[in-house]
């Protein structure tokens, strides 16, 4: 059986959620980010251990002290010389290690190494960007380790929310959106129209374009659209 990075995502996600963390996948190029109170854990998922994974983990240490790599549990156990060398390297670099028992129906996760407080100098700007992206997402729809698939960023999620609003209205103005409590960032998304999902009718007034209508029925956006359709349906009923 060919193992993919995405096979590791759900077991690792559940592992952190059981510990009380909120989890999001593919946040600013990090496979998985788990947040609880003031602690942020970053996990890079790989189907096997190699140097590229180590380089990624070292880069993530500029964002958080709690960086892990997650790989499948070794089939031949943990007594091999290569395994011991890997552990020694990760300890030296202060990188945590999680193994996933993909060869078991339980897909259990074991924390083999827990990182200590490393002394890698943090990049404050990138830290802030990571935290901002995480906090601005409302729907956990991405899968860590995904390649060749559209990532639902906070920006794309907000654009889809606007599509859901305009699906119920022939057009909407900035004034109306402000009255509904929409942040200025959402109005900027309308102005920028990055995905061509909106049509400017007049100054400060927008409608849904044909591309926007198609986006509402795109399979990759199904979960996000369902979430915001429900939110705005409930809000309209309250009004």
């Amino acid at each position: 059986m060919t193992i993919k990075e995405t096979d590791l995502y759900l077991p690792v996600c559940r592992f952190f959620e059981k510990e009380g963390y909120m989890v999001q996948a593919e946040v600013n190029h990090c496979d998985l980010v788990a947040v609880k109170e003031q602690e942020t854990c970053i996990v890079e998922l790989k189907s096997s251990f190699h140097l590229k994974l180590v380089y990624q983990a070292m880069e993530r240490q500029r964002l958080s002290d709690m960086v892990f790599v997650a790989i499948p549990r070794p089939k031949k156990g943990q007594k091999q010389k290569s395994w011991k060398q890997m552990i020694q390297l990760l300890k030296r670099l202060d990188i945590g290690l999680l193994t996933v028992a993909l060869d078991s129906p339980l897909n259990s996760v074991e924390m083999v190494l827990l990182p200590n407080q490393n002394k890698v100098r943090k990049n404050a700007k990138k830290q802030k960007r990571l935290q901002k992206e995480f906090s601005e997402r409302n729907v956990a729809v991405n899968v860590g380790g995904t390649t060749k698939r559209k990532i639902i960023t906070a920006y794309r999620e907000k654009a889809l929310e606007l599509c859901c609003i305009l699906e119920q209205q022939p057009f909407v103005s900035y004034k109306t959106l402000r009255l509904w409590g929409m942040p200025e960032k959402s109005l900027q998304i309308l102005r920028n129209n990055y995905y061509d999902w909106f049509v400017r009718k007049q100054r400060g007034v927008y409608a849904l374009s044909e591309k926007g209508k198609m986006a509402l029925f795109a399979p990759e956006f199904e979960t996000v659209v369902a979430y915001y359709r429900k939110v705005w349906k409930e809000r309209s009923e309250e009004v």
Side-chain angles (χ1 to χ4, degrees), residues 82-128:
S82 58
W83 173 267
K84 293 178 179 179
Q85 289 173 332
M86 179 190 72
I87 294 296
Q88 186 177 17
L89 175 63
L90 293 176
K91 280 183 177 179
R92 184 72 61 87
L93 297 173
D94 199 18
I95 297 170
L97 173 64
L98 302 170
T99 59
V100 184
L102 293 177
D103 52 351
S104 163
L106 297 176
N107 288 170
S108 57
V109 176
E110 179 185 358
M111 186 179 289
V112 180
L113 286 178
L114 178 67
N116 297 311
Q117 297 292 319
N118 64 68
K119 297 180 181 179
V120 177
R121 184 177 179 182
K122 303 296 183 285
N123 185 314
K125 188 180 290 186
K126 287 186 176 181
Q127 271 187 319
K128 187 175 180 180

Side-chain angles (χ1 to χ4, degrees), residues 28-45:
N28 288 11
H29 308 295
C30 301
D31 287 344
L32 184 150
V33 176
V35 174
K36 182 170 70 172
E37 297 174 355
Q38 300 303 311
E39 184 174 84
T40 299
C41 298
I42 298 175
V43 186
E44 290 299 325
L45 312 169

Side-chain angles (χ1 to χ4, degrees), residues 68-83:
F68 297 84
V69 296
I71 59 174
R73 182 173 67 179
K75 294 180 180 179
K76 297 182 180 180
Q78 302 179 4
K79 294 183 179 180
Q80 287 185 304
K81 184 178 179 181
S82 58
W83 173 267

Side-chain angles (χ1 to χ4, degrees), residues 25-189:
E26 298 298 337
V27 184
N28 288 11
H29 308 295
C30 301
D31 287 344
L32 184 150
V33 176
V35 174
K36 182 170 70 172
E37 297 174 355
Q38 300 303 311
E39 184 174 84
T40 299
C41 298
I42 298 175
V43 186
E44 290 299 325
L45 312 169
K46 283 292 178 288
S47 57
S48 62
F49 183 81
H50 47 70
L51 278 179
K52 184 180 178 182
L53 177 59
V54 175
Y55 299 152
Q56 286 179 328
M58 289 172 65
E59 181 65 25
R60 303 300 178 247
Q61 285 180 322
R62 301 186 69 188
L63 303 174
S64 172
D65 291 327
M66 300 295 287
V67 176
F68 297 84
V69 296
I71 59 174
R73 182 173 67 179
K75 294 180 180 179
K76 297 182 180 180
Q78 302 179 4
K79 294 183 179 180
Q80 287 185 304
K81 184 178 179 181
S82 58
W83 173 267
K84 293 178 179 179
Q85 289 173 332
M86 179 190 72
I87 294 296
Q88 186 177 17
L89 175 63
L90 293 176
K91 280 183 177 179
R92 184 72 61 87
L93 297 173
D94 199 18
I95 297 170
L97 173 64
L98 302 170
T99 59
V100 184
L102 293 177
D103 52 351
S104 163
L106 297 176
N107 288 170
S108 57
V109 176
E110 179 185 358
M111 186 179 289
V112 180
L113 286 178
L114 178 67
N116 297 311
Q117 297 292 319
N118 64 68
K119 297 180 181 179
V120 177
R121 184 177 179 182
K122 303 296 183 285
N123 185 314
K125 188 180 290 186
K126 287 186 176 181
Q127 271 187 319
K128 187 175 180 180
R129 194 181 303 151
L130 178 79
Q131 292 162 359
K132 181 174 179 288
E133 175 67 24
F134 187 96
S135 64
E136 290 186 352
R137 294 187 187 182
N138 289 318
V139 187
V141 68
N142 299 310
V143 175
T146 299
T147 57
K148 299 180 181 179
R149 183 178 174 181
K150 290 179 181 176
I151 302 300
I152 308 298
T153 60
Y155 186 94
R156 196 188 297 270
E157 186 180 315
K158 293 289 186 296
L160 286 167
E161 181 182 13
L162 288 165
C163 287
C164 291
I165 294 172
L166 285 165
E167 183 184 30
Q168 301 175 28
Q169 308 283 337
F171 55 84
V172 71
S173 67
Y174 290 160
K175 182 179 179 180
T176 301
L177 289 172
R178 288 189 180 106
L179 286 173
W180 290 345
M182 295 295 287
E184 290 298 318
K185 291 177 183 177
S186 293
L187 307 189
Q188 187 67 45
I189 289 173

